[in-house]
Amino acid sequence: SAGSPADPPDSLRRVLNWIVRYAVVADLLDRENWTSGSLLDVGAGPHGISCVRPDLPFVGLDVEYPERAVPTMVAIQAPPGPLPFADAAFDTVVSLDTLEHMPADQRPGFIAELARVSAGRVVLACPERQAAPADQLIADLILDEGQAWPSWLSEHMEFGLPSDEEVGTLCHAVPGFTARPLPTVNSLLGLLAVIGDIHPGLAAAAQTEVTERTPEWEALFLAGRFGPAARTAWVLEREVPTSAIVSPGDERGTLPAALRCPACGGGPLAERLAATWTCTACGHAIRQDADTDAWVLGTTPSREEPPAPPSPPSVIDPVPELQARIARLEAQLEHAQNLRIVRWTASLRRAVYRVRTVGRGSG
């Protein structure tokens, strides 16, 4: 994400695309009064739902935290696998933009895990297959600007985006839950937000906008729930809701009883010392990371990032760059020819040229 002109601390940075993701979910939570219960945000990163509800306490889960978690989050860091919580641990479980980052054969199990730890409902959303052309556009923009290839984009292409029908089928298959779709933001509007976040000429302005006017942007994206959407979103609700283990307003105090020990799989945990939770079954200690404030339940396998573009030499050789651009243009030309577009665009260009030439001559 891009920094603002004022260079705020990392934990205060916001991007427009996060509001696109969370605005619809936060609106649902408000309308259904689900913010009165405990909330787990799976794949939250250091911000999670705080980007639109900065005063809402919640528990966040992710495989790593690149920066300090926001104060309203009790952050849990755990490696990929079964969620490290007891059954029905939270009233509401939210997971945005996580499902597409795993192979297709792991997606049913992941949704089942979200449902297992929910006492009431699950809100699930991610980009869907129709967003693939937008991903390619973003990839071209990133390469043209000489930026490093982001891992999230690599995983989109490696694992393939699920279709809306595929996600709906998986949600309807969860026993004991009903499922219904949730309208999301117009695909073009969402894409423009992403471009604003990543384009070097727009990122600073986008950062300023979201820092100073989040409610206005949230209202805009909520009004933009029309037309085709590049995201699929679903709400799963327990047919028979039950009481959650984690209490709203006392997440730090009640969460240890809902955690499962990474060493023995048992628990619950209990706080023995400051910044230390200990398993009551095997005595394994879990500590809070001083840099991120996350409670670390296990070592996360390192993820190899794609190499950054090489630094330009002292004497710039234009040939490799020119060759790369020619190759890209040739690929685009071949694609256009297959779509029979070149036949009329070439004629159109010649007609425009003649009009301009005649116009200058008659002036």
Side-chain angles (χ1 to χ4, degrees):
S1 61
S4 73
D7 288 332
D10 285 344
S11 61
L12 298 179
R13 292 184 180 182
R14 303 288 187 269
V15 293
L16 287 172
N17 189 43
W18 292 347
I19 303 180
V20 172
R21 300 180 194 181
Y22 279 101
V24 172
V25 174
D27 177 66
L28 173 69
L29 299 182
D30 291 341
R31 286 188 286 105
E32 299 289 348
N33 195 32
W34 291 343
T35 54
S36 61
S38 57
L39 173 65
L40 170 67
D41 191 343
V42 178
H47 304 89
I49 199 170
S50 73
C51 64
V52 293
R53 294 295 180 271
D55 299 324
L56 179 66
F58 68 103
V59 176
L61 174 68
D62 216 320
V63 296
E64 59 184 346
Y65 287 86
E67 57 193 56
R68 187 176 298 277
V70 294
T72 52
M73 181 200 307
V74 180
I76 303 297
Q77 178 175 316
L83 302 184
F85 306 106
D87 296 353
F90 303 89
D91 291 298
T92 301
V93 176
V94 170
S95 181
L96 309 184
D97 294 63
T98 301
L99 187 69
E100 75 277 16
H101 292 290
M102 59 188 67
D105 60 353
Q106 296 180 13
R107 291 167 183 169
F110 176 71
I111 295 176
E113 277 292 282
L114 297 177
R116 179 185 66 80
V117 303
S118 167
R121 76 283 311 174
V122 174
V123 184
L124 173 73
C126 68
E128 72 120 1
R129 192 165 297 162
Q130 293 187 30
D135 273 1
Q136 186 59 56
L137 187 151
I138 294 169
D140 291 342
L141 174 61
I142 290 173
L143 291 176
D144 285 342
E145 296 297 334
Q147 300 180 33
W149 189 274
S151 59
W152 61 265
L153 192 53
S154 299
E155 290 174 353
H156 282 195
M157 296 183 176
E158 177 183 357
F159 300 131
L161 297 177
S163 68
D164 180 63
E165 293 78 9
E166 177 186 343
V167 178
T169 299
L170 295 178
C171 290
H172 280 294
V174 179
F177 283 77
T178 61
R180 57 186 168 95
L182 182 66
T184 58
V185 177
N186 178 278
S187 57
L188 178 58
L189 184 59
L191 175 60
L192 293 176
V194 176
I195 293 175
D197 288 331
I198 68 174
H199 193 284
L202 301 173
Q207 174 65 56
T208 299
E209 284 295 311
V210 74
T211 300
E212 298 178 357
R213 285 175 281 274
T214 290
E216 290 85 351
W217 282 100
E218 183 179 352
L220 172 64
F221 292 135
L222 289 176
R225 289 176 289 185
F226 60 85
R231 298 176 58 76
T232 177
W234 291 83
V235 183
L236 293 80
E237 296 182 76
R238 274 195 184 274
E239 295 173 351
V240 182
T242 186
S243 298
I245 299 173
V246 178
S247 300
D250 188 23
E251 286 79 6
R252 164 82 184 247
T254 57
L255 178 60
L259 281 168
R260 289 297 171 258
C261 176
C264 70
L269 307 181
E271 187 164 2
R272 301 300 188 196
L273 300 171
T276 302
W277 290 340
T278 304
C279 176
T280 58
C282 71
H284 178 77
I286 295 172
R287 294 180 173 82
Q288 191 174 20
D289 186 274
D291 294 327
T292 65
D293 287 342
W295 296 87
V296 182
L297 269 63
T299 302
T300 300
S302 60
R303 181 171 59 187
E304 183 177 349
E305 295 287 345
S311 301
S314 55
V315 177
I316 298 177
D317 182 1
V319 174
E321 173 63 20
L322 181 60
Q323 291 174 335
R325 289 185 176 274
I326 290 174
R328 184 176 295 133
L329 288 172
E330 288 176 343
Q332 292 174 349
L333 178 61
E334 180 181 358
H335 178 66
Q337 287 173 331
N338 292 335
L339 295 177
R340 301 180 183 273
I341 292 176
V342 169
R343 296 181 181 178
W344 64 264
T345 54
S347 301
L348 178 62
R349 286 196 297 270
R350 286 194 295 269
V352 171
Y353 176 78
R354 285 197 300 272
V355 169
R356 289 178 175 173
T357 303
V358 171
R360 287 196 296 270
S362 61

